[in-house]
């Protein structure tokens, strides 16, 4: 890796903001800002159990993952038509572009919508059209990853995959999200095997609140290529060695971990430890509208709290491209741009 020059602490936020980066862990339904939730509720005649934008925001005081998910699924209830899904994704892409996110892999939860009678096609077409426009109009490259809700059955996940397969050209992989504890990865062995047989990429949330054993089974039973969150790996030294040796990417979400009380104090987050242990760690926003920040907020606040430096910033951005599901040519292009950004930043240091 090329030698990263030291950057004065007061200039680090500027570098973090302007460096090109990939976002690999963003639930698009978690980018719905309260203002858009209310606008869509009005447009679609959906009643919300909150009187105002302020009342909704005031409810964002989470104690764990489940306390968040209850509100997150209520927020998603305003999404009915293809244009709603487009508008939600477009709002995210505008923020991503402002944060110098050049590539994004977006999770979406079709079961949250199909269970309410919204057709699969409506969800996928709306999101995919926004991805196409993001590339053309904002220069943000984007792909979709379909997530299964792990609190529901594997039969439901299998039906969901069958329903989505006619649109297989519009998403690149499958993931696993929602309530983790009590719903281990191995519950979804068959559906992940089927997705793999269809040539789809595989990822899964594991080790956010759940034990290291869930990370082991995501790797060895589901055969995932990345672990979403994965911060509980720190409690299992053998697992840490495995993750480092195989460069299994972890898509870590610091502000999410803080807001859901995984690390109530950001200064206590273990991201620097994971990075120092040789893991392919990345920084991501998870559900930015609910957790108080998009990509650059995550980078700037995490670096301020933990005291990480420019070398670590470079490693995290580099890892985001290493971990992304893009062509080797595209990856090399962005790694070059990243290097140019860091070299240019040093030249103009005062
Ligand atoms: N964890 C699990 N499921 C989720 C999350 C998360 O952080 N965000 C949206 N669904
Ligand atoms: Zn997540």
């Amino acid at each position: 890796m090329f030698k990263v020059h030291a950057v004065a602490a007061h200039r680090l936020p500027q570098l973090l903001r302007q460096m090109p980066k990939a976002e690999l862990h963003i639930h698009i339904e978690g980018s719905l800002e309260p203002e858009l939730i209310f606008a869509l509720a009005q447009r679609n005649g959906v009643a919300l159990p909150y009187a105002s934008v302020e009342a909704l925001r005031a409810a964002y005081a989470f104690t764990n993952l489940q306390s968040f998910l209850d509100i997150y699924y209520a927020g998603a209830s305003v999404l009915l038509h293809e244009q709603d899904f487009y508008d939600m994704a477009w709002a995210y892409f505008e923020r991503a572009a402002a944060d110098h996110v050049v590539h994004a892999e977006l999770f979406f939860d079709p079961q949250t919508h199909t269970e309410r009678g919204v057709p699969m096609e409506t969800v996928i077409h709306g999101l995919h059209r926004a991805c196409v426009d993001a590339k053309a109009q904002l220069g943000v490259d984007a792909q979709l990853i379909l997530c299964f809700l792990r609190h529901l059955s594997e039969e439901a996940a299998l039906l969901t995959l069958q329903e989505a397969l006619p649109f297989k050209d519009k998403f690149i992989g499958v993931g696993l999200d929602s309530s983790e504890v009590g719903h281990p990865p191995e519950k979804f062995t068959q559906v992940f095997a089927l997705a793999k047989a269809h040539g789809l990429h595989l990822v899964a949330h594991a080790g956010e609140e759940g034990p290291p054993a869930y990370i082991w089974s995501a790797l060895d039973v589901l055969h995932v290529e990345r672990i979403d969150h994965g911060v509980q790996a720190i409690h299992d030294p053998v697992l840490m060695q495995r993750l480092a040796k195989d460069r299994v990417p972890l898509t870590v979400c610091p502000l999410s971990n803080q807001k859901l009380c995984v690390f109530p104090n950001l200064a206590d987050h273990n991201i620097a430890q994971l990075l120092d242990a040789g893991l392919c760690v990345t920084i991501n926003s998870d559900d930015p509208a609910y957790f108080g920040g998009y990509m650059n907020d995550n980078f700037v606040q995490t670096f301020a709290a933990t005291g990480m430096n420019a070398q670590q910033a470079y490693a995290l951005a580099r890892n985001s491209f290493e971990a992304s599901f893009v062509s080797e040519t595209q990856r090399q292009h962005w790694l070059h741009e990243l290097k140019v950004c860091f070299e240019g930043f040093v030249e103009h240091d005062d």
Side-chain angles (χ1 to χ4, degrees):
M1 192 146 66
F2 102 106
K3 172 96 183 69
V4 177
H5 289 274
V7 171
H10 75 281
R11 295 194 73 223
L12 195 51
Q14 191 193 336
L15 177 60
L16 292 168
R17 288 195 176 94
Q18 78 183 42
M19 66 183 187
K21 50 185 80 73
E23 170 143 63
L24 307 176
H25 187 159
I26 155 86
H27 301 263
I28 198 61
E29 293 91 347
S31 75
L32 260 185
E33 292 287 343
E35 288 78 7
L36 188 52
I37 290 178
F38 272 81
L40 292 176
Q42 193 166 31
R43 186 159 99 187
N44 292 335
V46 175
L48 287 171
Y50 301 93
S52 63
V53 164
E54 293 70 32
L56 177 55
R57 250 205 192 96
Y60 294 0
F62 312 118
T63 51
N64 56 23
L65 175 58
Q66 194 59 50
S67 66
F68 152 71
L69 289 171
D70 294 341
I71 292 186
Y72 163 84
Y73 294 128
S77 70
V78 300
L79 298 160
L80 291 182
H81 308 294
E82 188 184 313
Q83 190 63 37
D84 304 338
F85 291 91
Y86 179 96
D87 291 345
M88 169 173 69
W90 184 255
Y92 164 73
F93 287 131
E94 287 190 316
R95 291 180 186 259
D99 281 0
H100 295 262
V101 171
V102 294
H103 174 74
E105 294 175 13
L106 275 54
F107 294 142
F108 68 108
D109 289 340
Q111 287 159 295
T112 302
H113 315 300
T114 52
E115 279 202 331
R116 296 180 291 113
V118 178
M120 179 68 78
E121 186 178 359
T122 300
V123 179
I124 294 183
H125 280 170
L127 295 177
H128 185 258
R129 188 159 55 85
C131 291
V132 171
D133 287 357
K135 180 73 185 164
Q137 296 175 39
L138 300 169
V140 178
D141 183 62
Q143 301 286 354
L144 298 171
I145 295 178
L146 180 160
C147 280
F148 304 114
L149 299 182
R150 67 200 303 157
H151 68 273
L152 301 178
S153 68
E154 184 175 48
E155 289 67 40
L158 281 162
L159 283 174
T160 300
L161 182 58
Q162 296 295 359
E163 252 185 287
L165 281 175
F167 314 104
K168 203 178 82 174
D169 59 322
K170 296 188 171 59
F171 61 98
I172 60 165
V174 300
L176 189 62
D177 66 3
S178 190
S179 321
E180 184 182 7
V181 175
H183 302 286
E186 53 270 31
K187 178 176 162 186
F188 295 92
T189 306
Q190 290 181 56
V191 74
F192 270 67
L194 182 61
K196 189 173 175 159
H198 280 279
L200 291 161
H201 285 291
L202 309 179
V203 300
H205 283 52
E208 176 183 14
E209 289 182 340
Y214 286 18
I215 303 177
W216 282 111
S217 59
L219 293 174
D220 292 339
V221 182
L222 298 190
H223 304 293
V224 302
E225 298 157 81
R226 295 196 300 243
I227 297 288
D228 296 310
H229 291 294
V231 292
Q232 303 302 334
I234 203 88
H235 302 297
D236 182 338
V238 180
L239 176 59
M240 289 288 284
Q241 281 173 15
R242 162 83 182 275
L243 294 170
K245 178 173 73 65
D246 292 349
R247 291 288 290 168
V248 177
L250 299 190
T251 62
V252 173
C253 307
L255 287 179
S256 164
N257 292 154
Q258 180 192 27
K259 295 297 187 307
L260 300 188
C261 304
V262 176
F263 297 99
N265 187 348
L266 204 52
D268 298 330
H269 200 287
N270 65 8
I271 187 163
Q273 263 175 286
L274 298 169
L275 198 58
D276 289 349
L279 274 62
C280 183
V281 179
T282 65
I283 283 189
N284 307 271
S285 72
D286 208 7
D287 300 280
Y290 291 91
F291 299 149
Y294 288 78
M295 276 293 261
N296 285 355
D297 302 309
N298 270 274
F299 272 98
V300 171
Q301 291 187 42
T302 303
F303 274 67
T306 61
M308 285 195 291
N309 59 27
Q311 177 81 51
Q312 287 160 312
Y314 184 78
L316 287 163
R318 202 177 194 290
N319 289 347
S320 76
F321 296 119
E322 180 184 333
S324 65
F325 296 135
V326 296
S327 70
E328 201 46 41
T329 313
Q330 187 64 70
R331 191 188 331 279
Q332 292 307 325
H333 168 74
W334 281 323
L335 289 174
H336 176 73
E337 301 263 292
L338 178 65
K339 203 159 158 245
V340 167
C341 169
F342 270 68
E343 285 167 350
F345 197 82
V346 171
E347 274 166 30
H348 299 112
D349 210 348
D350 46 26

